[in-house]
Amino acid sequence: MNALRSFLRYLPVWTFQACFARPMLKLFWGTRYRRRSVIPKDRACLVVANHNSHLDAALLMSLFPLRRAHRVHPVAAADYFGTNAIRRLFAMRFLNAIPIERHAAPGKDPLHPMIEALEAGESLIFFPEGSRGDPGVVAPFRPGIGRLVRAIPGLEVVPVFMAGPERIWPRGAALPLPLPVDVNVGKPRSYPAELDPREIADRVRDDVLALAPPPPPFPGPRPAPPVRVAVCGVDRESVRVRFRAIADRLGGIDRTIGVSEPIVESTPAGTRDLPKGLPLARGRWWPRALGWAFRTQGSSRGSKFAEMVDRSRIDESLQDGRSARFVVLEGSPLVDLLAYAAADFYAGVVDELGLQQILLYLAGERRVPIREWGRFLRKAPEVWLLNIFDLTRPHAPDILVLVRDAAAGGFEARLQEAYAEVAKVLERRFRVEVVAVDPGGDPHELARAVESIVRRVAHLEPVVPVPAS
Amino acid sequence: MRFATIPPIVLAFAFALLLAVPFSILAGRRGGRFRALPGWSGFWVFFAILLGLLSRAGRWPGFIALGALMFVGLKQYFFTTPVRPQDRWALFAANLAIPFALWPAFVGNETLYLALVPLGLPLLFPVLLSAGRGHDGLLDSIGRVLLGAVVFIVAMSHLGLMTHRPEGWIELYGILALVSDLVQRLAGRLKAGGEEVRRGLSGFVTSAAVSGALGYGLGAYGGTSERHGAIAGLIVACAVAGGALVAEAVAEEQEITTPSMMHGRYAFLDRVLPAIWAAPFFYTYLRLVS
């Protein structure tokens, strides 16, 4: 009897999902899910997303398998959905929602029903912004999400970003439009319970925003692409010191992103690390798996290959010039791979034509011919992987700073020669400005020299030296 | 079914497709500008099915499929080129216009079609867009909505009009558009901003020559004469080049590059625009001379 009652209780939820919501989302709106498989299928989780539309709850419910739909509850504002019978019926019966009092009476915990549901193994869909807000704007998250996370230590939170519903059915619009929807799902994660609820809310918001695709372009003139400075060389420490000095210096002119581990943001106000990096649509697991499977070598050994691909993707994503005026790279994927290929793969037979060929492979302009696959797989699997799997298309920098190391011996000495060869090719073929420096030189002096070249390349006013009094 | 009962133009279309698809997949392995070819050939398989339905399966299934493609095309287009929030009604009207454009094409009433579609829509949308509050960016929005309407309603509905014409027009159009587009993708396309002019021009000239020759050879099987088939081939090659140029320019305007690909949604426009851009030109020319 209980089973029948339970079946009848959840029948509207399944029917609504199976016969209306899911077919409409797929066929009418052409919804695309990214990383939907990471949603926990057999345990409780808290799905947290941006909220701009009435579609959002149905969209997020469709992330779960239909057989679990009755164990997923969107959290709905009681003061909105409880105002009339139709809204109440729709929210509670068809969407399986749990009502939340946004303005609870003193002494009453509005989160209590949610905590109970999570403890009972049910999953929740939560919109921490509190309301649909302005289209396309992700408002600050309310601390309620932090309190919920603190109440259940180890709770898995799944950040989700939805792009499209804000244009399909924003607040105040009478009818939904047929436009596509993208739902980007992030990895489930938990947050330390000892943090302040406000801090947890901010962290969750950052994780949701990290999944956001690039904003649509505005009409009118576009910003120029950023000026790229790459610092390369065999001595990693010297490279790092010079990278930092140049990033600091260029940050004094305009916003500069330093692509290293971690990412650095430099502005006239100062330089700071961005430990979370920049949001990218594609994750690292695939390059990491490929790097592991094909035993990448040299500077791209193992997981470093995925790191290198990531850096190149970040560099690509900064191409639109909106996020930064200057980009400084600690090592350039293109230059490093070319140099390694020249030092190892083409050792002894390196010529300009060979380097240009690899450059075309790396830039995705040419495919590696099948007859060459064996040789590339043995000697330069990184080049082959980037080319065949379209992992990224590394750019040539505008300015290449080459740090020489007089003490380098053996393979490193060969590598250093290869860097010089690559620099020559880039200078001749792509008009890249090359600055060669010794490790003993002053990094700040170098940064000043690079700044003057950057100003010339970017057509900025030159620095006027202050006359001595 | 015996081959003798299948019209030669259908066999020619199937043969062209059978050649183009594996060739595109192989060429796609070369990378660079050829890497979009496998996806393009996938689109053409579906587009060929649509043309086959329109031509051979009767009007209802063909028009339902055509309406679905128009709906999907508009949806993808307006996702890629967003309009102002106050222009929601124009987008709604654009989708509602699909049945109104297909209905005269379905019944074959050209006068009604002319009044409703190529004349009515371009005059209706500016009114709808001007009715909203605030006029900042109005002209930009009008341009975006009209381009969507012209391509996905006016041009596409001409495929429906072709169903009332002699047998073979649709297949002939399919062959000429497929070959023109493929040759231009292989030999070079005209690009926005005048880049790689020589390669673009050589691609255009080659495609015009190939398309014209095919039109000449297949014109008699496609419900027209050799001479008009050849001219229709030239027209289709020109229009395909125009459609490709528009697709390139839209991508540049919307900053659609590898990192901001909007999850691949632009690829649909790149494939569909050249394929349907030529439909009104082809139809009107053959209608005038037949």
Side-chain angles (χ1 to χ4, degrees):
Chain A
M1 196 63 191
N2 274 347
L4 179 66
R5 195 173 295 153
S6 173
F7 174 77
L8 290 175
R9 156 94 176 79
Y10 295 120
L11 187 61
V13 179
W14 291 317
T15 313
F16 176 72
Q17 282 290 318
C19 303
F20 184 74
R22 290 175 194 229
M24 283 293 281
L25 289 170
K26 202 68 207 164
L27 300 175
F28 188 72
W29 283 294
T31 307
R32 280 194 194 172
Y33 301 94
R34 297 204 159 242
R35 290 187 292 270
R36 187 187 194 174
S37 57
V38 302
I39 292 275
K41 305 279 188 305
D42 50 358
R43 54 191 191 277
C45 67
L46 180 65
V47 176
V48 176
N50 57 322
H51 190 29
N52 271 149
S53 159
H54 276 324
L55 275 186
D56 295 347
L59 258 173
L60 294 175
M61 280 193 85
S62 70
L63 288 172
F64 292 86
L66 190 61
R67 64 187 153 77
R68 256 188 78 80
H70 65 289
R71 304 207 65 185
V72 182
H73 306 273
V75 177
D79 52 311
Y80 180 83
F81 284 97
T83 47
N84 69 48
I86 294 174
R87 278 184 188 170
R88 199 164 42 241
L89 177 82
F90 181 75
M92 305 309 157
R93 287 281 164 249
F94 290 94
L95 280 180
N96 205 19
I98 295 181
I100 183 171
E101 295 287 347
R102 288 193 284 196
H103 310 287
K108 196 178 167 190
D109 183 10
L111 296 176
H112 185 66
M114 278 118 257
I115 294 168
E116 270 188 345
L118 286 168
E119 281 173 343
E122 313 274 298
S123 295
L124 293 188
I125 291 168
F126 201 76
F127 301 110
E129 290 170 81
S131 80
R132 284 169 293 162
D134 296 327
V137 177
V138 181
F141 282 7
R142 295 185 181 192
I145 178 73
R147 288 173 49 212
L148 206 53
V149 167
R150 280 176 58 152
I152 305 169
L155 172 68
E156 282 189 294
V157 178
V158 185
V160 177
F161 189 91
M162 293 173 287
E166 77 282 3
R167 285 162 61 194
I168 291 173
W169 204 359
R171 187 180 204 160
L175 286 169
L177 286 176
L179 288 171
V181 183
D182 284 319
V183 183
N184 297 342
V185 185
K187 276 185 198 161
R189 59 202 73 188
S190 51
Y191 298 88
E194 61 274 10
L195 289 177
D196 181 59
R198 163 57 54 203
E199 199 177 341
I200 295 175
D202 289 344
R203 285 196 185 189
V204 175
R205 184 172 181 270
D206 286 347
D207 289 334
V208 170
L209 285 177
L211 300 164
F218 304 100
R222 307 276 189 264
V227 177
R228 287 190 173 81
V229 182
V231 189
C232 298
V234 289
D235 181 359
R236 293 284 153 205
E237 195 45 47
S238 300
V239 166
R240 186 157 185 78
V241 170
R242 274 145 192 86
F243 155 79
R244 194 74 191 208
I246 294 169
D248 288 349
R249 184 86 194 178
L250 296 184
I253 310 174
D254 207 338
R255 189 168 185 242
T256 301
I257 295 288
V259 183
S260 71
E261 195 77 20
I263 302 287
V264 174
E265 183 195 33
S266 189
T267 57
T271 303
R272 66 185 183 114
D273 289 351
L274 302 175
K276 287 191 177 175
L278 297 174
L280 284 175
R282 294 188 282 180
R284 271 192 196 188
W285 73 269
W286 179 230
R288 191 180 294 147
L290 288 174
W292 177 81
F294 288 92
R295 298 156 57 124
T296 50
Q297 296 295 314
S299 66
S300 316
R301 185 187 290 275
S303 64
K304 289 212 165 164
F305 176 69
E307 195 183 297
M308 186 269 290
V309 171
D310 229 30
R311 285 190 196 188
S312 177
R313 284 175 177 173
I314 289 170
D315 182 28
E316 271 189 281
S317 72
L318 295 169
Q319 172 69 11
D320 61 11
R322 283 207 203 105
S323 319
R325 185 77 187 84
F326 308 109
V327 176
V328 186
L329 300 120
E330 186 190 348
S332 154
L334 185 89
V335 178
D336 290 345
L337 281 175
L338 272 173
Y340 266 90
D344 189 14
F345 184 42
Y346 275 102
V349 291
V350 65
D351 62 355
E352 201 171 318
L353 202 67
L355 278 179
Q356 281 181 20
Q357 196 64 35
I358 305 179
L359 203 147
L360 290 176
Y361 293 153
L362 284 172
E365 291 295 321
R366 289 265 187 286
R367 283 272 193 225
V368 177
I370 294 176
R371 64 176 182 280
E372 297 268 332
W373 280 17
R375 212 149 65 91
F376 269 93
L377 275 169
R378 274 199 314 279
K379 292 283 193 175
E382 310 82 19
V383 179
W384 184 84
L385 287 173
L386 290 189
N387 183 268
I388 298 299
F389 289 93
D390 285 334
L391 298 175
T392 177
R393 293 185 185 188
H395 285 270
D398 299 293
I399 300 159
L400 172 62
V401 178
L402 211 53
V403 185
R404 286 189 298 241
D405 184 5
F411 178 73
E412 284 196 343
R414 231 167 53 223
L415 187 61
Q416 191 154 280
E417 276 173 32
Y419 268 119
E421 289 291 330
V422 171
K424 231 184 270 176
V425 170
L426 290 176
E427 195 173 19
R428 205 173 300 161
R429 195 174 153 80
F430 295 96
R431 293 165 195 264
V432 172
E433 301 262 1
V434 178
V435 183
V437 289
D438 291 318
D442 179 12
H444 299 290
E445 196 60 45
L446 168 70
R448 262 197 297 279
V450 169
E451 185 194 345
S452 65
I453 302 174
V454 164
R455 282 182 180 275
R456 182 157 45 79
V457 170
H459 307 295
L460 296 171
E461 291 288 315
V463 187
V464 181
V466 181
S469 57
Chain B
M1 186 185 286
R2 286 160 55 189
F3 274 119
T5 61
I6 304 174
I9 191 77
V10 176
L11 283 177
F13 189 26
F15 184 66
L17 206 63
L18 278 176
L19 274 182
V21 170
F23 181 72
S24 311
I25 292 169
L26 285 175
R29 303 183 72 89
R30 253 200 85 160
R33 63 198 164 89
F34 302 110
R35 71 176 57 205
L37 278 174
W40 171 85
S41 65
F43 162 76
W44 259 97
V45 169
F46 283 101
F47 193 57
I49 292 172
L50 167 72
L51 294 181
L53 283 174
L54 279 169
S55 173
R56 308 281 154 182
R59 289 215 178 88
W60 272 111
F63 271 72
I64 288 171
L66 181 61
L69 184 64
M70 289 161 87
F71 174 72
V72 172
L74 275 179
K75 201 167 69 170
Q76 302 292 350
Y77 172 77
F78 284 124
F79 186 84
T80 317
T81 55
V83 291
R84 302 171 306 164
Q86 63 263 44
D87 297 333
R88 293 173 53 79
W89 286 106
L91 300 200
F92 205 71
N95 283 285
L96 274 184
I98 294 173
F100 287 100
L102 286 181
W103 168 53
F106 186 87
V107 297
N109 187 335
E110 282 193 9
T111 315
L112 186 64
Y113 177 83
L114 198 67
L116 276 181
V117 186
L119 293 179
L121 287 183
L123 295 175
L124 171 72
F125 284 117
V127 176
L128 285 174
L129 292 162
S130 305
R133 280 166 292 144
H135 293 129
D136 288 345
L138 174 73
L139 288 176
D140 185 62
S141 258
I142 290 179
R144 288 174 185 221
V145 173
L146 280 185
L147 180 64
V150 164
V151 175
F152 294 102
I153 299 176
V154 178
M156 271 199 179
S157 54
H158 275 81
L159 295 174
L161 283 177
M162 285 185 209
T163 58
H164 296 277
R165 297 295 138 204
E167 260 193 13
W169 275 29
I170 294 179
E171 285 88 354
L172 181 63
Y173 173 72
I175 294 168
L176 297 178
L178 169 76
V179 171
S180 301
D181 201 4
L182 178 61
V183 172
Q184 283 176 25
R185 280 170 191 270
L186 290 173
R189 293 165 93 179
L190 293 173
K191 285 201 171 168
E195 288 173 33
E196 299 172 8
V197 179
R198 197 178 294 172
R199 183 189 280 171
L201 279 178
S202 76
F204 170 63
V205 171
T206 315
S207 80
V210 174
S211 182
L214 272 174
Y216 184 84
L218 297 171
Y221 303 108
T224 182
S225 66
E226 283 93 348
R227 189 160 61 93
H228 292 313
I231 295 171
L234 292 176
I235 289 172
V236 168
C238 292
V240 165
L245 191 65
V246 172
E248 289 264 354
V250 168
E252 196 181 306
E253 151 75 14
Q254 293 304 103
E255 291 176 7
I256 298 166
T257 52
T258 315
S260 62
M261 196 54 137
M262 295 189 179
H263 308 313
R265 294 205 185 267
Y266 166 73
F268 179 79
L269 294 184
D270 179 51
R271 289 160 197 165
V272 82
L273 248 69
I276 57 168
W277 199 266
F281 297 100
F282 175 86
Y283 174 81
T284 310
Y285 173 71
L286 288 189
R287 181 83 182 89
L288 283 173
V289 298
S290 62

